Amino acid sequence: KMRVDLDLSQTLFIPPEAVNEWGCLVTVSAMKTLIKLMFLLSPVRPQKLLLRLVLNFCANAQLRRAFLTTYVALLNGDRNGTIAGVDIVSDESKMHGSGNFSSPNSSLICRGSMRGDMHEKSFPPNMLIGTAPDDAGNDFLHPNMGMFRRKHGNAAAAAIAMNLPTSAKGSSDGSVPLIVSRRIIDALSFLAQKAPRICVEMLLNDEIVKLTPDCHDNKSRGSSLDSLLDLISLPLYSKSATNLEQLLSLIEIIVSPLSMVSKDCEHQVDISKKDIESAASAGKEWLAVPRPDVSQHRLRSLCSVLRLEGCKDSPFQKVNTISKRLCRVESNKAKILSELASVAQGLGIDAIRDLKSLSIHLNQASKLHKAQAKTSSLQRGQKGGNLSDNKNKVSSIPASAVTLSSSSSEIKLLRVLQTLHAVCGCGPDDKKEDGQMSITAELGLLLQRLQLESLWDELAICLKVVSVLEGVSDDEEEEKKGGEIDEDEVDADGTSSKKLQSSVAGLLTRFLPTIEAFFIVTASSAGDVSEENDHKLGSVIDNGMAESSVSDVDDNSTAKYDTGLVGVKRLVTFVAAHKVLLNALLRANPALLDKGLRPMVQIPSCRPFMDFDVKRQWFKTQVRRLRQHANRRAGSLRLNIRRKHVFEDAFHQIRQRNADEMRGRLHITFRNEEGVDAGGLSREFFGILAKEMFNPNYALFTSTEDGCTFQPNPNSSINPEHLSYFRFVGRIVGKAVVDGFLLDAHFTRSLYKHMLGSKPTHHDMEAIDPDYYKNLKMILEYNLADIGLDLTFSTEDHSFGRSQTIDLIPDGRNVHVTEDTKAKYVSLVCQHRMTTAIDRQIKSYLEGFYDLVKPELISIFTAKELELLISGMPDIDMHDLQRNTEYQHYKASDPQIGWFWNIMFSLKKSEKASFLQFVTGSAKVPLGGFAELQGMRGTQKFSIHRAGGSSGALISAHTCFNALDVPVYKSEDEMREKILYAINEGATGFLFA
């Protein structure tokens, strides 16, 4: 139900004496006069004055019905309906005892009206009022004449008429002029927006059938909404994008009350007595929202808009919204889905034809590409050149070799599929808690019936040729290499080792609509794929769709999972085969991961095929949104820290902050220091914390055998507040990840898997305890009797000088391990060491980490990628730093610059880290190399400035700007001495030079 204004019995108070003397305020003649104002050659100015007058009249139920009926009938060119609508006011006049409508005193509005024929045959007018008669006559004699010409007179009406096209002035077939239609639609839109009751009444079936029994089409007309939907198929609207958009805007407003309708037909909204009384006191009432049942042919006209050439983004969105609202009525939903599916099938056939035509051009371009490669190879062979990089030297195919613009059929197909997706599972009630769109079984079944497999096959063929043209792979390589990705293929910067050699952006963008359509169909048919089923889905993809594999996915599986696995298999196979092209698209347009290519993030099986830099960009975008929301609510996070007690001060100041406060911009102030935090102090703050969190005095972490990685200490309970400290450490790591700071902290692979929500395996034990891992591997590889082991499902725990036996299963100390159960034993003992024994510590750490980083955001990374995200690059590449250095008042050819780089390349690894700490505030290299070095103003490269003053002064650094002030030294030895002194003695603390 919705709250609307109460109807008024009178729109204007008139004393009874005046009614007896003058008659009703609005009569048939007055009504005709008001309607004719829409036909004026020069419209009423301001236009809202007339619209507000009509709106005030519509506060009366009978007048409202008269105006709505008349306006809608005029739009449909229904003369009888127009007259019947005007005659509605005669009933009101008779109720007041005034039946003489021809009396000059019968209406206040009629008196002084415009000059015109008041006979019945002159209403409704068939042309604009004020048009010169000669011009109008010439128009009918010469229907092909495009513009009116002035013949005589200098009247304003003739001047205006001269510039009006023929179609705007009227026609002899009885339809209203185009300009009048636009005015009426504008008027109805204004009325519907200002008075919600008008929307409700236009959704109801009116009584126009009773008023005009001689009209043969009235039996199929129904409500005003039906009449407006009938207009869509008329050439006046279907062939004009402007007129169509205006009409769809009106229909969108009229169906807006349907968004309040519950999808459950049996659910009735009960309005409390208090709400009813409150509405009555405000001059309002609660009105039930009708559920219009729209006929099939009208919904067909609505859905056919999606196939029109004039259907751009705005009309598409309006049809989408109208369809969703009409689907609130169950009887309409099946009809709309059927019509959308029919449109999609037709567009799919057209898209296949277009792709086949494009494939011919692509094959020709591919032959040209191979010919160029062969010629280049022969030339280089004759010259004795290096053949290994031959592929990189081949000139790329010009973009003009193929058609770069997407065909209209592919774009329209994408829009129809988006509408289907929106109709089947789109309202605010259909979204999950994590913001993902729910996929209904109805949508999956409907998309499966579209049978677009031929289109996807043709798309795969085209993309394979594009891969060759882009220099990604040759046909032979595609046959030899599968679609799997290995973590070892990731470069040092975290990106895939294979990228486009010569990107023709137009080629990829050309296929984007079809690629998005493919993702919509396959991801929707895949259903809701959970993490629990992901490993089994992967095995199905690797081993084929065996019936036994499908049945083992879940004990509670239904038929939808059969089609779901098929959809996942096709989707993952497609992503694996074209991962390089897809990653190129995502680099060029990262927003696709929030739109058409979102299944690459949502479906776990697709995530390994995304390059690390693409994942990181998506992650940064999501985190930035959370931070903006937090900044509006909580502001900045300011910490006042003592340098000698950084860990304790930060712990006590942060533990009281909530998640929104923690996401605010960090400002660090070190007591008794003059440094201003513009990024440099924060980097040093995180650098200190990264060392202190592993301090043995806190007993929070223990190092592995190699001493490089750490995992939670199972005996951390010796620290009474150890769980609070673990939560604090998790918050620090999360804050560093969110703000883009790198930590010199490396955890065990098992802890990274816990952060990702994955289960560690016995292989992760190798990094924690290599000797213990070897023993476990021996148990799995050899017969227990041969190696003389008698094991039980228990393990020994030695802590604080005491030894105790811990059962891995109930009464495990009495259950012997056999050849059949030894794999289970190895899994349980590893689970105990990497999970169970430190369960409370892990939960507290994850609680703090998830306060800043949501699990669904971090889950797109692998364990190795997460380590890169937290800790950055392991080595410092001085060549990369030199390539990304800017000089101020120095030149690269100056001797001081040459000495500087000689010194940098000669430094030890620890000294390089100290220098980087001195200059930037952090000893870690950004993930994208020094080209992505962050400063106060975003990305800010390392710069060397010529310092004034004495030539023997020390060098100084500005960590907020990644800048180094270097005096003009006289020798390389002097510069080396000053640099080593600065990085060893001045690596910490901030003072004004």
Side-chain angles (χ1 to χ4, degrees):
K1 294 185 178 180
M2 61 186 303
R3 207 167 79 153
V4 298
D5 292 326
L6 286 169
D7 281 331
L8 301 179
S9 58
Q10 297 185 57
T11 57
L12 179 68
F13 174 74
I14 303 177
E17 298 81 6
V19 173
N20 294 332
E21 180 179 357
W22 295 90
C24 294
L25 178 63
V26 180
T27 62
V28 173
S29 299
M31 188 70 183
K32 291 181 179 180
T33 302
L34 288 174
I35 297 300
K36 285 184 176 182
L37 291 177
M38 289 289 182
F39 288 79
L40 289 179
L41 179 63
S42 181
V44 177
R45 301 292 184 186
Q47 186 179 6
K48 285 189 176 181
L49 181 63
L50 175 61
L51 298 181
R52 289 189 179 277
L53 174 63
V54 176
L55 178 64
N56 292 335
F57 281 132
C58 287
N60 177 271
Q62 200 156 2
L63 292 178
R64 179 173 60 250
R65 183 164 167 269
F67 276 107
L68 296 181
T69 303
T70 305
Y71 282 155
V72 173
L74 281 172
L75 289 175
N76 281 272
D78 183 4
R79 176 182 175 83
N80 295 332
T82 304
I83 297 174
V86 171
D87 287 341
I88 293 176
V89 299
S90 64
D91 298 333
E92 182 185 17
S93 301
K94 293 176 182 178
M95 290 174 58
H96 291 280
S98 179
N100 184 14
F101 303 114
S102 60
S103 172
N105 296 330
S106 62
S107 172
L108 290 174
I109 293 184
C110 284
R111 179 173 295 181
S113 61
M114 67 191 71
R115 184 182 64 180
D117 186 11
M118 299 299 295
H119 295 293
E120 193 72 21
K121 63 180 181 179
S122 66
F123 186 84
N126 58 4
M127 59 185 300
L128 294 179
I129 299 177
T131 304
D134 292 339
D135 292 336
N138 290 333
D139 177 35
F140 297 134
L141 292 175
H142 305 283
N144 295 327
M145 185 174 62
M147 300 292 291
F148 280 79
R149 299 178 181 177
R150 180 189 300 185
K151 290 220 169 178
H152 14 239
N154 295 321
I160 296 175
M162 178 187 64
N163 296 315
L164 281 176
T166 303
S167 58
K169 296 189 62 178
S171 62
S172 58
D173 60 358
S175 61
V176 296
L178 171 60
I179 192 171
V180 177
S181 299
R182 291 179 178 177
R183 291 173 184 174
I184 293 175
I185 293 177
D186 284 338
L188 289 173
S189 300
F190 178 83
L191 298 175
Q193 283 180 324
K194 297 297 182 180
R197 183 187 284 271
I198 291 179
C199 297
V200 174
E201 293 198 0
M202 295 188 77
L203 294 174
L204 292 169
N205 289 334
D206 54 27
E207 299 181 5
I208 196 169
V209 176
K210 298 180 182 178
L211 295 173
T212 56
D214 56 329
C215 184
H216 299 290
D217 297 332
N218 286 330
K219 292 183 180 181
S220 61
R221 178 162 297 155
S223 67
S224 298
L225 172 64
D226 294 332
S227 299
L228 295 177
L229 290 173
D230 289 335
L231 298 177
I232 295 177
S233 58
L234 299 180
L236 178 64
Y237 301 94
S238 60
K239 295 183 178 181
S240 171
T242 303
N243 297 343
L244 179 63
E245 183 175 354
Q246 187 187 31
L247 177 61
L248 291 175
S249 298
L250 171 59
I251 298 176
E252 182 182 17
I253 297 172
I254 292 174
V255 299
S256 58
L258 295 179
S259 58
M260 304 179 186
V261 174
S262 173
K263 290 188 176 180
D264 184 4
C265 298
E266 298 179 357
H267 179 69
Q268 297 294 334
V269 179
D270 295 328
I271 307 299
S272 64
K273 184 177 179 181
K274 181 179 179 181
D275 291 336
I276 295 176
E277 293 176 351
S278 175
S281 62
K284 298 179 181 294
E285 64 176 334
W286 289 95
L287 204 62
V289 178
R291 297 172 181 261
D293 183 8
V294 184
S295 63
Q296 184 86 26
H297 73 277
R298 292 189 175 99
L299 293 177
R300 184 178 300 118
S301 298
L302 176 65
C303 296
S304 65
V305 172
L306 299 173
R307 298 196 64 172
L308 299 177
E309 291 294 335
C311 183
K312 305 302 181 183
D313 290 338
S314 181
F316 162 69
Q317 294 295 341
K318 295 182 186 304
V319 172
N320 200 328
T321 303
I322 295 170
S323 300
K324 287 190 292 183
R325 290 173 178 173
L326 289 176
C327 282
R328 289 283 181 170
V329 182
E330 194 62 30
S331 59
N332 295 330
K333 187 172 184 179
K335 302 174 189 175
I336 290 180
L337 294 179
S338 173
E339 294 302 330
L340 289 175
S342 176
V343 173
Q345 282 184 327
L347 291 173
I349 296 174
D350 296 340
I352 293 174
R353 183 186 63 249
D354 294 337
L355 284 183
K356 286 183 176 180
S357 175
L358 177 62
S359 179
I360 297 175
H361 296 284
L362 286 174
N363 288 327
Q364 293 174 351
S366 178
K367 292 179 182 178
L368 177 61
H369 175 82
K370 292 178 180 179
Q372 288 182 353
K374 185 176 181 179
T375 303
S376 177
S377 176
L378 292 174
Q379 292 176 350
R380 294 179 61 83
Q382 294 174 357
K383 296 180 180 180
N386 185 11
L387 298 178
S388 61
D389 57 349
N390 173 52
K391 184 185 298 184
N392 297 343
K393 301 300 181 180
V394 178
S395 60
S396 61
I397 300 300
S400 58
V402 294
T403 304
L404 296 184
S405 58
S406 301
S407 68
S408 59
S409 60
E410 297 171 62
I411 298 175
K412 293 173 186 175
L413 175 62
L414 173 61
R415 287 174 173 170
V416 173
L417 293 175
Q418 288 173 339
T419 303
L420 273 172
H421 194 275
V423 167
C424 285
C426 66
D429 299 334
D430 299 320
K431 289 189 177 180
K432 302 179 185 177
E433 293 181 359
D434 59 1
Q436 298 182 5
M437 198 73 71
S438 67
I439 304 299
T440 62
E442 180 184 26
L443 175 62
L445 184 60
L446 184 65
L447 292 175
Q448 189 180 9
R449 291 176 177 174
L450 293 180
Q451 298 179 350
L452 297 174
E453 287 75 11
S454 299
L455 177 61
W456 311 145
D457 294 339
E458 197 65 39
L459 173 64
I461 293 173
C462 291
L463 290 181
K464 186 176 180 180
V465 180
V466 171
S467 297
V468 177
L469 294 178
E470 294 281 13
V472 176
S473 62
D474 292 331
D475 295 337
E476 294 80 4
E477 292 181 358
E478 288 293 328
E479 295 176 0
K480 294 178 181 179
K481 186 173 181 180
E484 296 183 358
I485 187 171
D486 188 0
E487 287 189 7
D488 295 334
E489 293 182 2
V490 179
D491 288 336
D493 62 350
T495 60
S496 175
S497 59
K498 199 163 193 179
K499 292 185 180 180
L500 295 182
Q501 301 295 334
S502 56
S503 176
V504 183
L507 277 177
L508 298 179
T509 308
R510 163 65 182 80
F511 297 98
L512 182 57
T514 311
I515 293 175
E516 289 190 61
F518 170 79
F519 272 85
I520 290 177
V521 173
T522 53
S524 298
S525 62
D528 298 330
V529 181
S530 63
E531 294 276 0
E532 299 177 357
N533 295 320
D534 186 43
H535 65 285
K536 293 186 179 180
L537 289 172
S539 65
V540 172
I541 293 167
D542 294 336
N543 303 328
M545 291 298 297
E547 293 182 2
S548 58
S549 299
V550 176
S551 61
D552 292 338
V553 172
D554 196 330
D555 294 337
N556 299 322
S557 296
T558 58
K560 74 171 186 177
Y561 265 105
D562 297 339
T563 59
L565 291 175
V566 174
V568 170
K569 179 184 178 182
R570 176 180 282 274
L571 180 62
V572 176
T573 303
F574 178 86
V575 173
H578 311 292
K579 59 186 177 183
V580 179
L581 297 181
L582 293 176
N583 279 291
L585 275 176
L586 294 174
R587 287 189 189 95
N589 189 0
L592 287 173
L593 284 178
D594 291 327
K595 299 176 183 177
L597 303 189
R598 189 173 183 181
M600 292 191 69
V601 174
Q602 291 178 330
I603 297 180
S605 301
C606 294
R607 296 170 187 167
F609 302 102
M610 295 170 58
D611 288 343
F612 176 63
D613 61 321
V614 174
K615 295 180 183 179
R616 184 162 55 97
Q617 180 60 40
W618 176 83
F619 175 78
K620 289 167 63 177
T621 302
Q622 304 302 316
V623 166
R624 190 182 303 115
R625 293 174 183 172
L626 293 174
R627 182 190 296 176
Q628 291 172 351
H629 176 72
N631 286 338
R632 289 193 295 266
R633 298 182 59 182
S636 302
L637 176 64
R638 299 183 179 273
L639 302 179
N640 195 314
I641 305 296
R642 295 173 296 173
R643 183 173 289 278
K644 294 184 178 180
H645 305 277
V646 173
F647 197 77
E648 294 86 350
D649 288 354
F651 170 71
H652 290 293
Q653 294 184 39
I654 285 179
R655 67 185 303 182
Q656 305 297 332
R657 306 297 181 97
N658 59 36
D660 281 340
E661 291 174 327
M662 285 294 297
R663 289 194 182 96
R665 183 176 180 181
L666 182 64
H667 288 274
I668 298 296
T669 301
F670 288 109
R671 295 182 189 175
N672 303 321
E673 295 187 16
E674 299 170 334
V676 178
D677 189 11
L681 273 70
S682 295
R683 279 195 290 269
E684 184 178 9
F685 168 74
F686 282 110
I688 297 173
L689 287 179
K691 297 176 181 178
E692 286 296 308
M693 69 175 63
F694 302 125
N695 190 331
N697 295 329
Y698 296 110
L700 297 177
F701 292 89
T702 58
S703 62
T704 57
E705 291 293 327
D706 59 3
C708 297
T709 57
F710 296 83
Q711 76 166 356
N713 184 0
N715 300 318
S716 63
S717 57
I718 192 174
N719 182 343
E721 292 187 290
H722 68 120
L723 297 181
S724 297
Y725 274 103
F726 272 111
R727 185 171 183 267
F728 164 70
V729 171
R731 282 188 155 199
I732 290 300
V733 175
K735 180 64 176 174
V737 170
V738 167
D739 288 1
F741 294 104
L742 300 174
L743 296 176
D744 191 11
H746 297 269
F747 301 104
T748 58
R749 185 64 58 91
S750 60
L751 184 57
Y752 289 126
K753 287 189 174 181
H754 283 301
M755 296 169 69
L756 296 173
S758 303
K759 184 179 179 180
T761 65
H762 72 278
H763 297 290
D764 299 318
M765 183 62 69
E766 183 177 10
I768 300 175
D769 192 338
D771 294 334
Y772 191 70
Y773 172 75
K774 291 179 181 179
N775 295 336
L776 294 177
K777 194 174 181 181
M778 183 180 297
I779 292 174
L780 294 173
E781 294 177 352
Y782 296 95
N783 192 294
L784 295 178
D786 295 341
I787 57 180
L789 289 179
D790 184 16
L791 302 173
T792 61
F793 279 90
S794 62
T795 185
E796 298 293 327
D797 178 53
H798 306 276
S799 59
F800 303 113
R802 295 181 298 176
S803 178
Q804 60 177 340
T805 301
I806 299 176
D807 293 329
L808 300 178
I809 60 175
D811 196 27
R813 67 192 69 188
N814 297 321
V815 180
H816 290 275
V817 179
T818 65
E819 287 296 318
D820 295 333
T821 60
K822 65 181 183 180
K824 180 180 179 182
Y825 167 78
V826 170
S827 176
L828 289 175
V829 75
C830 291
Q831 181 182 354
H832 173 75
R833 288 198 58 175
M834 293 185 291
T835 305
T836 308
I838 53 177
D839 184 60
R840 293 192 303 161
Q841 292 88 332
I842 291 176
K843 286 183 178 179
S844 297
Y845 172 82
L846 294 182
E847 180 184 354
F849 183 76
Y850 291 155
D851 279 348
L852 278 299
V853 184
K854 292 183 178 181
E856 59 268 19
L857 296 184
I858 206 72
S859 62
I860 65 169
F861 298 102
T862 63
K864 184 176 181 179
E865 291 170 343
L866 181 57
E867 183 179 9
L868 280 174
L869 188 69
I870 295 175
S871 304
M873 300 284 291
D875 299 320
I876 300 175
D877 185 0
M878 282 298 168
H879 291 283
D880 183 37
L881 179 62
Q882 185 178 16
R883 286 192 300 268
N884 293 282
T885 298
E886 299 173 347
Y887 303 100
Q888 299 290 335
H889 306 293
Y890 270 123
K891 293 182 295 183
S893 59
D894 289 340
Q896 288 80 10
I897 300 301
W899 299 340
F900 175 82
W901 289 115
N902 291 337
I903 296 170
M904 289 296 103
F905 285 113
S906 66
L907 294 178
K908 301 176 183 178
K909 186 174 181 179
S910 59
E911 291 174 334
K912 292 178 181 178
S914 298
F915 171 77
L916 196 59
Q917 174 77 39
F918 174 73
V919 175
T920 66
S922 172
K924 305 303 295 181
V925 180
L927 296 179
F930 288 104
E932 296 185 5
L933 199 61
Q934 297 296 307
M936 182 178 179
R937 303 183 182 92
T939 301
Q940 203 160 0
K941 292 184 178 181
F942 170 61
S943 59
I944 299 177
H945 298 248
R946 182 191 294 266
S950 172
S951 60
L954 291 172
I955 62 174
S956 59
H958 308 276
T959 58
C960 299
F961 302 96
N962 303 321
L964 186 69
D965 293 340
V966 180
V968 183
Y969 294 116
K970 297 180 180 179
S971 67
E972 183 176 341
D973 292 337
E974 182 183 8
M975 180 181 288
R976 180 186 299 273
E977 177 187 356
K978 300 297 183 181
I979 289 178
L980 292 177
Y981 181 83
I983 63 178
N984 292 326
E985 302 296 332
T988 60
F990 289 83
L991 296 172
F992 288 122

